[in-house]
């Protein structure tokens, strides 16, 4: 089975967010980049499927600016991916997830694959649009919120559960599908040092932006534009409730929620 | 000029979701007086649900009564949506940002060659007339403003961001659209199961969330959190310390590797406030923290704090909430 896993770099969770000088987007200066959380799950899931289905191959694909995009691809190689494709984009901030989906679709259209795994959303823009858009563009079925994914090789079918409001659905889909992962493994594998060293020397297939832009034509223009990036005013700190007994604390809190915060249901 | 807006309703177990009414509220927030708002419902309950949907302020509701669309796959639903948007001559499609709504938004945008923006919390127009949207990013640690640079757009609106309009007496016609069953091979949804403890509202969608952390100390004690949640009609969440310990399943986890929630009220009990937890809940409107350590970082993001032993405070709070809400 040929598995493609689409990943992207996002600012590390501890990053102190600030706007760029124009105030239109995150300032990338000095940011430490890491593999997006759900994408890490997608890589883990791809490797688990590969291990359960001998003869399978995992290829990591990422669209974005150098050098951070290549770095997350190397991270995927160090974790166990067999190959990596870097779809270069010139801008510091990738303008919209639909453009990313088009770029990856233009590339995947020429490749053979059975499954594309993506994270259900990335921790920076939290759009959650990429997987569905990609699936539509390559004319494949898609599901989001996917957990507990298994492959039935004789029937060429994937079965899984998907998280929906209030519970989970059981579902199945035949091969050549795009699945967006919800599952969070709290203990995904970590790369071993020799593999990290090996990944530094591995070849990454690179597709120049000019090639992608040529394939996309007018669809290579972004459809949205980030025009503002605001940080909330820091909360002024909690109003601490004085009390002598737990009952008094409870009464005071409920009153504040009713009368001051006006959120009491 | 009349703009046409198509609002997509979502039906679960025969009932229209409250978030679909909020989507109508969002449509009304950005529509001018001459704009025309239409609705789309799919599945066998479409016609029965259409009066409630229309009463939120729609001029008409198109129904696709195809039984195969009861729990539509993203493939089949996106086809029904694009067909209806084309039939209505819409330039804007608005969905509720539920799991299913967000799943289908990207497909619809790609198929309809439209822009797409999810997690929308405010809708306006930029001076040149372009749609301008606000959306939380980075787990609510920042807000992004986005402008649409395409003639068409798909918007998924964040739960609780827009009020559901008060119902009006509506004589909006329900029209029937032909079914759009996907071909064999688009996958099948085989069944649905409620999550254990899922009797209350869903975490991602709830107006109130009560979460417990390591301070709760043992799986059995988690019932204290659940009783408080029940008294408030809240969903139950947990920190990763709780899910790692196996006291509750990972589906309860709030934070970087769990769910992002944006309720009106978030109550954090025995949770220290690690950054990986905070990114999943800081954009809640009001945050209450109950913790025995006055220095716990959770108090820095909370609006109201009680320093104390949760084993004393939480039962007293549950009793007080039940008393005030008249629950026996
Ligand atoms: C890559 C990564 C991803 C992560 N993702 C997540 C995530 O998605 N969600 C998440 O929550 N965490 C996540 N974490 C873990 C996070 O760093 C913290 O370890 C975790 O949130 C701690 O949970 P806690 O607050 O329940 O426990 P602790 O930090 O141990 O805090 C327990 C709190 O309970 C209080 N307490 C103890 N007894 C009582 C009592 N009797 N009454 C009142 N208060 C009491 C203590 O004062 C303390 O503040 C992640 C970590 C990493 C490295």
């Amino acid at each position: 089975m040929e598995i493609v896993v689409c990943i992207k770099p996002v600012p590390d969770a501890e990053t102190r967010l600030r706007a760029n000088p124009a105030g239109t987007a995150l300032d990338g200066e000095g940011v430490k980049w890491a593999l997006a959380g759900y994408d890490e799950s997608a890589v883990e899931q791809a490797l688990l499927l590969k291990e359960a289905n001998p003869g399978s191959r995992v290829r990591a694909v990422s669209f974005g600016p150098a050098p951070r995009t290549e770095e997350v691809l190397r991270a995927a190689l160090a974790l166990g991916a067999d190959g990596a494709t870097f779809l270069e984009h010139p801008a510091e901030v990738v303008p919209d997830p639909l453009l990313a989906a088009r770029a990856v679709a233009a590339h995947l259209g020429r490749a053979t694959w059975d499954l594309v795994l993506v994270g259900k959303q990335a921790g920076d823009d939290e759009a959650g649009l990429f997987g569905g858009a990609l699936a539509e563009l390559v004319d494949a079925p898609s599901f989001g919120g996917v957990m507990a994914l298994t492959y039935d090789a004789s029937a060429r079918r994937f079965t899984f559960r998907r998280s929906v409001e209030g519970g989970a659905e059981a579902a199945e889909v035949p091969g050549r599908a795009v699945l967006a992962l919800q599952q969070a493994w709290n203990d995904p594998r970590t790369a071993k040092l020799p593999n990290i060293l090996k990944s530094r020397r591995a070849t990454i297939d690179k597709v120049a932006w000019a090639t992608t832009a040529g394939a996309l034509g007018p669809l290579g223009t972004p459809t949205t534009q980030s025009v503002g990036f605001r940080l909330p005013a820091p909360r002024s700190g909690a109003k601490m409730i004085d009390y002598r007994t737990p009952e008094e604390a409870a009464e005071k809190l409920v009153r504040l929620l009713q009368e001051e915060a006006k959120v009491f249901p | 000029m009349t703009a046409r807006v198509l609002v997509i309703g979502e039906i679960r177990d025969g009932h229209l979701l409250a978030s679909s009414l909020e989507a109508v509220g969002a449509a009304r927030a950005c529509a001018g007086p001459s704009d025309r708002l239409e609705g789309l419902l799919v599945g066998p309950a479409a016609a029965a649900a259409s009066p409630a949907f229309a009463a939120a302020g729609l001029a008409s509701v198109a129904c696709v009564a195809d039984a195969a669309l009861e729990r539509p796959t993203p493939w089949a639903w996106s086809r029904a949506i694009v067909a209806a948007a084309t039939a209505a001559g819409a330039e804007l499609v608005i969905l509720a940002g539920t799991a299913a709504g967000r799943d289908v938004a990207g497909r619809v945008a790609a198929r309809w060659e439209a822009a797409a923006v999810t997690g929308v919390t405010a809708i306006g127009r930029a001076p040149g007339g372009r749609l301008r949207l606000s959306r939380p990013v980075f787990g609510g640690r920042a807000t992004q403003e986005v402008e649409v640079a395409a003639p068409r757009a798909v918007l998924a609106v964040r739960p609780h961001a827009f009020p559901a309009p008060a119902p009006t007496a509506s004589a909006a016609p329900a029209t029937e659209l032909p079914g759009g069953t996907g071909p064999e091979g688009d996958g099948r949804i085989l069944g649905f199961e409620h999550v254990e403890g899922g009797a209350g509202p869903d975490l991602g969608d709830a107006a109130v969330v009560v979460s417990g952390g390591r301070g709760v100390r043992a799986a059995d004690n988690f019932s204290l959190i659940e009783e408080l949640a029940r008294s408030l009609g809240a969903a139950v969440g947990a920190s990763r310390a709780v899910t790692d310990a196996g006291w509750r399943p990972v589906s309860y986890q709030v934070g970087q590797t769990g769910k992002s929630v944006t309720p009106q009220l978030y109550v954090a009990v025995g949770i220290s406030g690690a950054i990986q937890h905070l990114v999943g809940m800081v954009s809640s409107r009001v945050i209450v923290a109950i913790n025995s350590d006055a220095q716990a970082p959770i108090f820095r993001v909370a609006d109201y704090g009680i320093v104390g032993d949760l084993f004393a405070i939480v039962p007293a709070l549950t009793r007080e909430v039940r008393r005030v809400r008249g629950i026996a």
Side-chain angles (χ1 to χ4, degrees):
Chain A
M1 171 169 43
E2 294 291 317
I3 305 168
V4 173
V5 53
C6 298
I7 58 178
K8 88 176 222 192
V10 298
D12 176 273
E14 323 258 339
T15 302
R16 276 204 48 197
L17 303 177
R18 67 198 146 94
N20 62 8
T24 56
L26 173 76
D27 189 348
E29 190 65 37
V31 166
K32 208 175 122 209
W33 299 89
L35 184 54
Y38 287 109
D39 292 357
E40 196 174 43
S41 297
V43 172
E44 177 70 22
Q45 178 66 81
L47 296 172
L48 290 173
L49 277 175
K50 174 183 153 175
E51 285 155 9
N53 297 277
S56 300
R57 281 174 47 86
V58 173
R59 169 166 287 268
V61 175
S62 188
F63 174 68
R68 61 177 184 258
T69 306
E70 280 175 290
E71 276 158 22
V72 292
L73 287 168
R74 288 196 195 282
L77 288 169
L79 288 168
D82 303 290
T85 305
F86 168 41
L87 304 172
E88 175 201 43
H89 185 270
E92 179 54 26
V93 181
V94 176
D96 78 40
L98 279 170
L99 180 63
R102 289 188 175 127
V104 174
H107 173 70
L108 287 186
R110 288 188 294 273
T112 36
W113 49 271
D114 303 286
L115 175 67
V116 174
L117 288 173
V118 307
K120 114 182 151 139
Q121 64 181 48
D124 55 352
D125 64 16
E126 300 186 335
L129 290 165
F130 175 85
L134 174 64
E136 187 63 42
L137 295 166
V138 298
D139 200 22
S142 60
F143 287 96
V146 170
M147 308 175 292
L149 175 62
T150 56
Y151 181 58
D152 176 349
S154 58
R156 278 196 79 241
R157 190 170 52 210
F158 298 96
T159 56
F160 52 89
R161 285 153 42 86
R162 62 194 295 251
S163 161
V164 294
E165 277 70 21
E169 286 172 348
E172 61 175 34
V173 69
R176 207 165 182 285
V178 178
L179 301 179
L181 280 201
Q182 154 87 42
Q183 181 144 347
W185 274 272
N186 280 345
D187 50 355
R189 70 194 69 199
T190 48
K192 297 196 178 66
L193 187 60
N195 293 343
I196 295 175
L197 297 176
K198 227 168 81 195
S199 75
R200 295 217 182 117
R201 296 187 306 269
T203 1
I204 291 182
D205 300 331
K206 180 172 163 182
V207 180
W209 169 240
T211 310
T212 305
L216 295 181
L219 290 177
T221 335
T223 53
T224 58
Q225 201 182 345
S226 183
V227 296
F229 188 85
R230 287 184 283 116
L231 297 172
R235 296 201 193 225
S236 44
K239 182 180 264 187
M240 303 307 278
I241 293 171
D242 288 332
Y243 62 95
R244 276 155 306 180
T245 61
E247 287 68 30
E248 187 186 350
E251 263 165 54
K252 283 187 166 168
L253 176 63
V254 168
R255 200 167 330 113
L256 284 165
L257 293 178
Q258 278 180 311
E259 289 166 14
E260 190 177 85
K262 302 200 191 319
V263 286
F264 195 74
Chain B
M1 202 188 73
T2 305
R4 287 169 184 268
V5 181
L6 181 69
V7 185
I8 312 303
E10 196 180 329
I11 297 171
R12 284 270 136 164
D13 303 325
H15 300 288
L16 186 68
L17 294 187
S19 48
S20 298
L21 299 175
E22 294 172 12
V24 180
R28 289 176 54 171
C30 70
S34 68
D35 293 347
R36 187 177 158 86
L37 309 187
E38 299 183 18
L40 172 69
L41 294 171
V42 304
S50 80
F53 197 28
L58 300 172
S60 67
V61 176
C63 296
V64 183
D66 189 338
L69 294 175
E70 177 163 12
R71 280 186 177 276
T73 63
W75 168 297
W77 202 19
S78 63
R79 273 152 181 75
I81 292 171
V82 172
T86 308
E91 49 245 41
L92 191 59
V93 165
I94 299 187
L95 297 140
T98 57
R102 291 165 38 120
D103 244 19
V104 84
R107 284 204 84 109
V108 171
R111 188 169 180 81
W112 196 40
E113 293 192 358
V117 183
T118 55
V120 172
T121 53
I123 306 182
R125 295 267 176 194
R130 279 177 168 187
L131 271 176
R132 188 182 175 131
L133 311 151
S134 303
R135 54 192 305 274
V137 290
F138 291 95
R141 287 194 295 152
T143 303
Q144 184 190 23
E145 307 286 337
V146 179
E147 281 182 21
V148 170
R152 296 173 182 159
V154 178
L155 309 182
V157 300
R158 188 114 175 171
H160 313 303
F162 294 88
T168 54
S170 159
T175 55
E176 188 64 33
L177 287 184
T181 317
E184 286 293 298
D186 79 317
R188 281 195 305 150
I189 293 167
L190 305 169
F192 172 75
E193 69 200 59
H194 280 285
V195 179
E196 162 208 353
D202 178 71
L203 242 192
D205 212 27
V208 183
V209 173
V210 180
S211 288
R214 197 194 311 273
V216 173
R217 274 190 276 187
D220 289 348
N221 299 337
F222 218 77
S223 57
L224 283 180
I225 304 294
E226 283 156 352
E227 276 157 35
L228 175 58
R230 200 167 312 130
S231 73
L232 284 162
V236 181
S239 73
R240 173 160 160 185
V242 168
T243 56
D244 271 353
W247 300 345
R248 284 297 177 270
V250 186
S251 57
Y252 281 60
Q253 187 168 316
V254 171
Q256 184 190 331
T257 40
K259 300 208 163 106
S260 269
V261 298
T262 50
Q264 296 292 309
L265 173 62
Y266 187 90
V267 184
V269 182
I271 291 178
S272 61
I275 181 73
Q276 295 89 351
H277 187 79
L278 299 185
V279 298
M281 45 62 78
V282 273
S283 53
S284 305
R285 189 159 87 75
V286 174
I287 297 171
V288 170
I290 301 171
N291 196 303
S292 50
D293 174 7
Q295 301 305 317
I298 189 76
F299 288 123
R300 281 186 239 135
V301 301
D303 300 280
Y304 300 104
I306 298 179
V307 176
D309 180 6
L310 71 90
F311 294 97
I313 304 289
V314 172
L317 188 55
T318 306
R319 282 194 298 275
E320 177 65 6
V321 171
R322 293 169 74 95
R323 188 185 67 77
V324 170
R325 297 189 73 199
I327 305 170

